[in-house]
Amino acid sequence: MKTHTPAFKEALLIYSTLLAVTFVAYFFWFNKFGLYEDDFVFISRSVNADFSEFLRSLKWIFTDNPEGRIIGFLLPHMSAYALYNIAGIPAIYLFGWIIVSTNGFLLFQLMKKIFPSLLALFVSFFFILSPADTTKGYLTHIYQLQLSVTFLLVGLHLYLKKKYIASHIVAACSLITYEIAFLPFFFAPAMENIQWRGRNYLLRQIKHAVTFTLIVLAVVMWRKFTHEARVEMLVPSDVVLKTIKAFFIGPAVAVYTYLHAIVEAWGNSEISVFFILPSFAFFALFFSFYFKIFTFRNASAPASFGQELNIPLKAILLGGVMLVFSYLFAAPASHYPPDALAGRGTSVHLSASISSAILMGGIFYSLYCIFARYRLRTIFIFLISLLYSSYVGYGGIIQKDFARSWSLQKDFWNQVAQLCPDMGDGTNIIVERKDLPETKYILSHSWADPIILELLFRFPQTWSSLPRLITIDGSLDEDISLEDGRFYFKTPFPWLFSGKKIIELLPENTIYLQAENGTLSRKNNNLIIHRTLFTPKTAGKGTRDFQKENMYHCMFQK
C-alpha cells in the first residue's frame, strides 16, 4: 500500500486550507455576484456570443493587440465562453476561486524552497488575504491579473529549478497579460541564492537585470509599434517624476492597508459575528494542528537565537526592497497615484500584494521565533489567528458590497427596460449619477453603462446608432453644452459612442430618467439646461419587443 510523504501531506493540507480560506474570504456569496465595470467587455461579450461570434472576437484580439495585452484579453474571453456554456456565471466564479487559491499555493511552494515551511505558510496567507488589492473576487481581474501572477510564479519556480530559458519565457507572458505582475521576477536570483554572497551571485543578478530590462523594452517597443495608446502617451520626464513619487506613496499605502482592513472589519458588527469569529476558531485549530504535526517533525538541532532570527530578517529585507520595486510601472498605469484603498484602482497594488506578503511573513515569523523561545506559542496562535480572521472579515465586507452592487444593477436596468420600451435608433437615455445609490468596493455605475443596453437586447442591424444610457456625473449644466440652440454631450470614452467625441442630444430622441430613493421615473416635462428649455421624448406607443441576449437572463433572473 502506497504511503504519502510528510511533504505531500503538508502540501495537501495547505492547499485544502487555502481553498477554504479563499472561498470564505472572497467567494462565500458567489451565487449573488454578477458582472461589474470591465466585466461588461471582458466577460459579457463571451456570455452573449455564439461560436462564430466567439471566433471573431479571438481574431480581433490577435489582429488588434488591444492594450498590448494579447494574453490578458484572450484568457478572460476564452474562459468566460467555455465556463458560461458549462454552468453559467457561477461556474466562472468557481473556477476563479481555484485560480486565486492556486496562486497562494504556488507562492507557498516557492517560499518553501527559500525559507522554512512556517514562514512560507505565513506568506501564502498574507498574499491570499492581502487587503491592498480588493479585487480578488472580480472576474476580469481574476482571469487577467491573477493569471498574470500565475505566469510569474510558475516562471520563478522554473528559475529556481535552473530552467532559465523556460522561466524567462513563462514569466514574460505576464507582461502581455498584465504587466505589473512581472516585476517580482527581477528578484529571481535573490530567491535562488538567499545568502546574497559571492561573486557568482552578483554576476547572476547583473546578467538577470540586463535580461529583465531587455524583455521589458522589447514589449514596450512592440506596444509602440502597434500604436498602443498608453505607450504612445508616455512622456519620459513625467514618467520619471511619477515613478519616484510612486516609490514612496505605493509602499506606504500597501502597508497601511493591513491596519486599515482590521479597523474596517471590526467596525462592522455583522461581519464580526458572521466571518471573523468562525474564522478565528478555524485558524486557531489549524495552527495548533500544524505546529503539532509538521513544524517540529524531523527538526534539526536548535540554532542560536541570532541564527534563527537571521532567516526572517532575510525575508523582511527581500520583501521590503521588492515592495518599493513593485511600483516601477505605476506611472503609466491607469490608476495613478497608487493610493487607492478600495475598488478597481487597487489593482495597482497587485505586485505589492506579493512583496508585502513576504515582508509581513518575515515579520510574523520573527515574532513566532521570539514567542516560541519563551514558550508562548499559544499566545502567538491567538494573535496570528485574530489577525488572519480580521482579514477574512474584511473580505466579507467586500463580498457584501459585490452582492449589493449586483442587486442594485439588476434593479436599475430592469427599471430602465420597463421605462424605455420605445427606445430606438440613436436614443440617448440620461440619468444623473448623484441620484443613484452607489457601492464602495466595486462600482454599480461605471464607464460601461453606455454599452449595457446592447448587451441585454439584440437591436436591429439597420440602426445606425444603438441606444445609449448616459450617466451625468456632475449636473445637466456642467455635462451638457449649448451651442446655437443645440444641446451637446462630450463623451468620456468616444469608442463607446461609435468614435464620436461629441454627440448631439435631440429632444425628440432623448429620454430623461430621474432617480429618487433607488426608484426611477421618466420625466416628460421640460428641463432647464443653461436657462434654455429642453423637452425630452415623451413615452409613446412605439413599444418594441427586442430579442433578448444571454446577459438579459443573467441580469433579470430571480
Side-chain angles (χ1 to χ4, degrees):
M1 183 176 178
K2 183 178 180 181
T3 58
H4 296 294
T5 64
F8 176 84
K9 292 178 181 178
E10 181 187 33
L12 184 62
L13 173 66
I14 300 306
Y15 190 46
S16 301
T17 304
L18 288 171
L19 282 168
V21 171
T22 304
F23 182 82
V24 174
Y26 302 111
F27 298 93
F28 189 79
W29 284 320
F30 77 95
N31 61 326
K32 297 182 180 180
F33 295 169
L35 303 186
Y36 316 89
E37 303 187 44
D38 288 6
D39 289 345
F40 289 106
V41 167
F42 287 93
I43 305 297
S44 64
R45 300 287 187 187
S46 295
V47 167
N48 281 340
D50 58 27
F51 188 64
S52 61
E53 291 170 332
F54 171 66
L55 291 179
R56 283 197 295 272
S57 69
L58 296 188
K59 180 181 177 181
W60 168 75
I61 292 170
F62 278 111
T63 55
D64 282 37
N65 182 34
E67 297 182 5
R69 298 168 177 164
I70 187 168
I71 298 179
F73 273 69
L74 279 172
L75 292 176
H77 281 80
M78 294 173 67
S79 302
Y81 179 80
L83 292 167
Y84 177 80
N85 283 287
I86 292 173
I89 287 180
I92 309 176
Y93 274 103
L94 288 175
F95 194 73
W97 161 50
I98 302 298
I99 291 171
V100 177
S101 303
T102 301
N103 280 345
F105 182 69
L106 286 172
L107 184 59
F108 166 75
Q109 293 289 70
L110 180 70
M111 291 293 103
K112 191 179 174 183
K113 294 176 181 178
I114 308 167
F115 301 115
S117 291
L118 184 58
L119 197 160
L121 178 61
F122 289 161
V123 171
S124 64
F125 279 143
F126 276 116
F127 168 71
I128 287 293
L129 298 172
S130 171
D133 180 5
T134 65
T135 64
K136 291 188 182 72
Y138 174 33
L139 288 182
T140 296
H141 284 200
I142 292 172
Y143 289 94
Q144 191 177 68
L145 279 68
Q146 287 295 321
L147 284 176
S148 71
V149 171
T150 306
F151 283 123
L152 164 75
L153 294 173
V154 172
L156 288 171
H157 274 278
L158 291 169
Y159 193 97
L160 266 58
K161 289 183 177 180
K162 302 189 183 303
K163 297 179 179 180
Y164 299 121
I165 295 176
S167 73
H168 283 78
I169 293 172
V170 174
C173 288
S174 67
L175 263 179
I176 50 178
T177 304
Y178 199 84
E179 57 276 359
I180 61 176
F182 182 64
L183 290 170
F185 190 67
F186 182 86
F187 297 90
M191 295 180 186
E192 182 185 38
N193 183 357
I194 197 63
Q195 299 305 317
W196 308 330
R197 289 196 298 262
R199 188 167 179 268
N200 288 339
Y201 163 70
L202 183 61
L203 291 175
R204 170 71 68 185
Q205 183 63 68
I206 293 172
K207 181 180 177 182
H208 181 75
V210 171
T211 307
F212 178 93
T213 304
L214 290 175
I215 292 173
V216 172
L217 289 176
V219 172
V220 170
M221 294 306 295
W222 178 46
R223 293 172 75 161
K224 185 80 172 176
F225 178 75
T226 56
H227 304 289
E228 198 274 308
R230 290 187 179 121
V231 173
E232 296 248 299
M233 293 167 58
L234 290 180
V235 178
S237 59
D238 186 46
V239 169
V240 172
L241 181 60
K242 284 185 173 182
T243 301
I244 293 172
K245 290 180 179 179
F247 284 157
F248 291 93
I249 298 171
V253 172
V255 172
Y256 169 72
T257 60
Y258 283 94
L259 299 174
H260 170 76
I262 295 173
V263 175
E264 289 288 308
W266 282 99
N268 188 312
S269 58
E270 179 185 349
I271 291 298
S272 300
V273 173
F274 195 77
F275 279 92
I276 298 179
L277 296 181
S279 297
F280 172 78
F282 173 83
F283 279 114
L285 290 171
F286 168 79
F287 280 114
S288 298
F289 176 78
Y290 184 82
F291 287 154
K292 182 178 180 180
I293 301 299
F294 295 106
T295 305
F296 305 108
R297 176 172 289 178
N298 299 324
S300 57
S304 69
F305 193 48
Q307 290 175 322
E308 201 172 16
L309 286 180
N310 186 53
I311 296 171
L313 288 177
K314 290 280 189 181
I316 292 170
L317 182 58
L318 176 64
V321 175
M322 287 177 65
L323 181 59
V324 175
F325 195 76
S326 296
Y327 295 92
L328 181 66
F329 293 163
S334 304
H335 310 292
Y336 185 89
D339 58 358
L341 295 176
R344 191 164 56 95
T346 60
S347 61
V348 74
H349 304 302
L350 176 68
S351 180
S353 66
I354 300 173
S355 51
S356 65
I358 298 173
L359 173 65
M360 295 292 287
I363 291 172
F364 277 86
Y365 187 79
S366 64
L367 290 175
Y368 166 77
C369 292
I370 295 170
F371 277 81
R373 177 69 58 167
Y374 294 99
R375 302 181 184 275
L376 298 173
R377 289 193 189 92
T378 302
I379 295 177
F380 179 82
I381 290 173
F382 176 86
L383 293 175
I384 196 72
S385 299
L386 189 64
L387 185 70
Y388 285 144
S389 60
S390 298
Y391 297 140
V392 172
Y394 188 58
I397 293 175
I398 296 169
Q399 286 190 70
K400 189 176 180 180
D401 228 32
F402 272 58
R404 179 170 178 262
S405 175
W406 185 235
S407 177
L408 289 174
Q409 288 187 74
K410 291 168 70 173
D411 183 56
F412 175 83
W413 290 105
N414 188 35
Q415 291 185 68
V416 170
Q418 290 179 7
L419 292 169
C420 307
D422 55 332
M423 54 185 162
D425 189 351
T427 297
N428 292 302
I429 303 168
I430 296 176
V431 183
E432 293 188 69
R433 187 169 192 148
K434 63 181 177 62
D435 300 322
L436 298 173
E438 196 47 272
T439 40
K440 179 179 180 181
Y441 291 96
I442 198 72
L443 295 179
S444 300
H445 298 281
S446 70
W447 65 267
D449 281 1
I451 62 172
I452 290 181
L453 286 172
E454 68 179 81
L455 296 172
L456 301 177
F457 303 102
R458 182 157 297 194
F459 297 115
Q461 295 182 355
T462 54
W463 287 6
S464 58
S465 298
L466 300 179
R468 291 282 186 258
L469 184 132
I470 299 172
T471 307
I472 301 293
D473 291 324
S475 66
L476 295 177
D477 282 343
E478 291 172 344
D479 290 10
I480 297 175
S481 60
L482 178 65
E483 296 179 22
D484 299 326
R486 295 175 180 268
F487 297 89
Y488 296 93
F489 173 73
K490 184 178 180 181
T491 60
F493 301 99
W495 67 274
L496 296 175
F497 295 84
S498 304
K500 298 175 182 177
K501 294 181 178 180
I502 297 175
I503 59 171
E504 183 179 359
L505 299 177
L506 301 173
E508 65 273 14
N509 207 13
T510 300
I511 298 172
Y512 178 72
L513 301 180
Q514 190 173 56
E516 186 174 352
N517 297 323
T519 301
L520 294 177
S521 60
R522 181 166 173 171
K523 298 299 179 182
N524 298 321
N525 51 311
N526 292 332
L527 302 174
I528 304 297
I529 305 176
H530 296 294
R531 300 180 181 179
T532 304
L533 287 178
F534 181 90
T535 306
K537 180 181 181 181
T538 58
K541 297 181 180 180
T543 301
R544 298 177 173 88
D545 185 19
F546 301 111
Q547 183 180 344
K548 297 173 177 62
E549 299 277 16
N550 289 336
M551 273 304 304
Y552 177 92
H553 303 290
C554 295
M555 182 76 79
F556 298 143
Q557 67 183 2
K558 297 296 183 182

